[in-house]
Amino acid sequence: MKTYDEKHIKNVVLIGSAKSGKTTLAETMLYEAGIIHRRGAVEENSTISDYHEVEHERGSSVYATSLHTEWRDYKINIIDTPGLDDFIGEVITSIRVCDTAVLLLNAQQGVEVGTELLWNYVDKYNKPTILAINQLDSDKAHFNQTLEAAKSFFGHAVTVMQYPLRTGSGLDSIIDLLKMVMYKFPADGGKPEKLPIPDSETERANLLHNELVEKAAENDENLMEQYFEKGTLDEDEMRQGLKIGMMKHQVFPVFCLSAKKDMGSGRLMGFIDNVAPSAIEAPPEVTEDGQEVPCDPAAPTRLFFFKTLVEPRLGRLSFFKVMAGEVAVGMELFNEKTNTMERIGQLFIADGKNRNPVEKLKAGDIGCTLKLKNTLTNHTLNSKGATGSIRPVVFPEPKMRVAVAVTNKQDEEKLGEILNEVHVEDPTIEVTYDKELRQLILATQGELHLAITRWRLENLYKMSVEFQKVKIPYRETIQRAATSTYRHKKQSGGAGQFGEVSMKVEAYYEGMPPLKEYPVRETETIELPWGGKLVFNNCIVGGVIDARFLPSILKGVMEKMEQGPLTGSYVRDVRVSVYDGKMHPVDSNDISFKIAGMMAFRDAFMHAEPQLLEPVFEVEVLVPAILMGDVMTELQIKRGMILNMETENDNQVIKARVPQAELDKLQASLRNLSQGRAIIRSHFADYAPVSSDLQKRVSEEYSKSELAAVH
């Protein structure tokens, strides 16, 4: 395969809402370029891009897929991405490494909710963007309405390059305003004829052409001067102006397509070749320590890894972009993240599941390699003379959590290893073991993301799992003081066990007055790992309990605080005062006083009006103003307390406090209610008392589970 230099490599990412036609366009682009000789169809599970079994089952993209075409002495690397927010990680990394985004708009739907969500990331990375209005052959297509919706959303930068003569089943002609010709397509699509613009369209075409000339001129002072001198610009000058405008995010060219009928894709590829910026023209990348990394083929080699795919028979497949220098088979490169060397044993250009071997790739190109041991997504490999890692992709926080367990206990260790591989492949999936809850927690971007993850576990890894509700990390405390005496006595023929402890427990708060009933000989204040404090007072006088047994009493109290008497949750904010007890000269020992201390604490705690506390999060919901009332109602249904509301651009920001027990359900309901437009941010605030009804229910559920465990 030919090795292309950095000036003749174009990297584009196809993004858009679900069903906007990205995969069909990718297939058509490969067909137009002669890479494939027969176009596959999504409906037939025969496209190059959607080749995974789960994509065939769903009938839509789940993974971002790398492809390439060779078009008029240029190489175009294409990444076809999923259209659903659940797979946003695949989209973000693809946007990050590509130099131009082709944003598809469905002519039947206009600017959809998914389009808005994707645009946030395109805008964040400031990627030059082409708007492609697709499916113009549909009877429900509305070019003008879609164009107006785009102008309303994207603003003045929307620049009409083409418009269709007609839409629907009669689509066969597209007016091109840069070349000022009409492309007329055969009934089944393919290569068009170039014809003069019809007289009936001359006035409209001239008007839009002049607007295009002005748009090209306004992005560069020299072009503006030429425009004033000549009253127009030639085609090359217009291309130059459009490229400058795209790089400034001041021009979003609009193209017309029927990817399914192969109408307009060749012209789009020609524009990508001639106008879309290449990596060498893009702003330099930046390392984590602030170094600029221009796309320089003569510089030391830097590879940035943006995707990891675990293939059942091949192992780990790692996708990268050559940020600088060049990479060749056999090179050894250094990974600063893992402090290891990696050898590049093989190099490939990927076209879906097909991998084309190459010997070398130059700056700006995208490729993949196999079986790297210590290099993962967001890592950088450097040759000698290069230091620092390219700034990583920041992934969004998960939106829902479940506990995952194996149906066969013997597979527990294996499940952990598999979930680690799943996280390596998809960093938007987070896996943690919660020691407090004693659950393995799986966090995903949504319900579909979770369903796909389960499918992978069961079908690819043959692991039978069940999903459970994540337990809530409640806390327990008390509301008043209580005392208790407990005697632990055990005889077993030889030396026995004996210990008696009397203690007072109180709710602790900062600044509380000193204990008055008993003389405090020694106080120990313990900052609890799970939050709150334990204040432990030694009030023993007269040697009724030897001082050497006090640490054992404290240990017993702490053990019971780690599994509270009410619900098995951590106990916090209590003051414990040991004021009396008894010893036996032979049978008293550490274990006796540990048990006596534990049981005395439990009894006193249960008589001190136990209070269950639940974690509460501060939540911000960014939502279109029209949905504000519905969102506020939903917050109140989920026991949320609304704090205030603010305006942010055209949206409303609602701030509230919501119990963690309601948070996952709130996320799901707001996504459905807003069709994905609501952006939800949350962070832990504090613990708050629960209602008596909820406390009773949680306590009874805990008692039942403990009883079941005994039997």
Side-chain angles (χ1 to χ4, degrees), residues 401 434-439 441 470-474:
R401 304 184 311 149
D434 193 302
K435 182 181 176 183
E436 175 185 351
L437 304 178
R438 295 183 290 279
Q439 288 182 310
I441 309 299
V470 176
K471 298 173 185 175
I472 303 301
Y474 292 109

Side-chain angles (χ1 to χ4, degrees), residues 13 39 49 94 133 148 161 175 198 213 234 237 258 265 278 293 320 337 393-394 530 538 583-584 664 666 691:
V13 56
R39 287 195 300 154
S49 182
S94 303
I133 300 179
E148 289 307 311
M161 302 290 297
I175 308 292
V213 171
D234 62 33
E237 291 166 339
S258 167
S265 55
S278 60
V293 183
F320 60 84
K337 292 283 187 187
V393 175
V394 178
W530 51 84
N538 174 6
M583 296 187 300
H584 188 277
D664 284 346
L666 176 68
S691 66

Side-chain angles (χ1 to χ4, degrees), residues 41-161:
V42 173
E43 299 80 7
E44 299 170 0
N45 294 332
S46 56
T47 61
I48 298 295
S49 182
D50 287 354
Y51 66 91
H52 295 89
E53 185 180 348
V54 67
E55 293 174 318
H56 291 171
E57 283 198 15
R58 282 191 39 78
S60 62
S61 299
V62 170
Y63 297 91
T65 304
S66 293
L67 312 158
H68 92 288
T69 68
E70 297 178 47
W71 186 257
R72 297 173 186 168
D73 294 326
Y74 280 84
K75 179 184 180 186
I76 304 177
N77 290 315
I78 302 165
I79 303 182
D80 174 29
T81 65
L84 293 170
D85 190 36
D86 286 67
F87 311 116
I88 193 65
E90 299 278 332
V91 183
I92 298 170
T93 54
S94 303
I95 292 172
R96 175 77 163 74
V97 297
C98 284
D99 307 310
T100 301
V102 177
L103 176 54
L104 272 72
L105 303 177
N106 186 337
Q108 303 169 83
Q109 305 294 337
V111 178
E112 301 174 75
V113 171
T115 308
E116 298 179 25
L117 297 172
L118 292 167
W119 177 249
N120 292 333
Y121 294 102
V122 176
D123 196 39
K124 174 184 177 180
Y125 291 118
N126 202 38
K127 295 294 182 178
T129 304
I130 297 170
L131 303 179
I133 300 179
N134 191 27
Q135 301 181 11
L136 288 167
D137 57 308
S138 168
D139 290 334
K140 295 181 180 180
H142 297 284
F143 174 80
N144 291 332
Q145 289 182 23
T146 302
L147 180 63
E148 289 307 311
K151 288 180 177 179
S152 175
F153 182 78
F154 298 105
H156 179 65
V158 173
T159 304
V160 182
M161 302 290 297

Side-chain angles (χ1 to χ4, degrees), residues 105-226:
L105 303 177
N106 186 337
Q108 303 169 83
Q109 305 294 337
V111 178
E112 301 174 75
V113 171
T115 308
E116 298 179 25
L117 297 172
L118 292 167
W119 177 249
N120 292 333
Y121 294 102
V122 176
D123 196 39
K124 174 184 177 180
Y125 291 118
N126 202 38
K127 295 294 182 178
T129 304
I130 297 170
L131 303 179
I133 300 179
N134 191 27
Q135 301 181 11
L136 288 167
D137 57 308
S138 168
D139 290 334
K140 295 181 180 180
H142 297 284
F143 174 80
N144 291 332
Q145 289 182 23
T146 302
L147 180 63
E148 289 307 311
K151 288 180 177 179
S152 175
F153 182 78
F154 298 105
H156 179 65
V158 173
T159 304
V160 182
M161 302 290 297
Q162 299 178 324
Y163 69 88
L165 198 59
R166 63 186 68 85
T167 59
S169 57
L171 176 72
D172 65 355
S173 300
I174 295 173
I175 308 292
D176 192 287
L177 302 168
L178 178 62
K179 293 184 172 294
M180 286 304 282
V181 298
M182 183 176 78
Y183 293 107
K184 187 174 178 63
F185 296 89
D188 56 352
K191 186 174 182 180
E193 293 182 79
K194 290 183 181 180
L195 301 175
I197 295 173
D199 292 342
S200 59
E201 295 297 320
T202 301
E203 183 178 350
R204 180 186 181 189
N206 284 334
L207 179 64
L208 291 173
H209 175 76
N210 290 335
E211 291 178 4
L212 184 60
V213 171
E214 291 177 9
K215 193 69 177 175
E218 69 184 26
N219 295 295
D220 183 81
E221 290 184 7
N222 292 332
L223 290 174
M224 184 63 77
E225 289 179 8
Q226 293 181 50

Side-chain angles (χ1 to χ4, degrees), residues 276-292:
S278 60
I280 198 170
E281 297 169 305
E285 284 290 341
V286 179
T287 62
E288 290 178 297
D289 57 3
Q291 298 178 57
E292 288 194 346

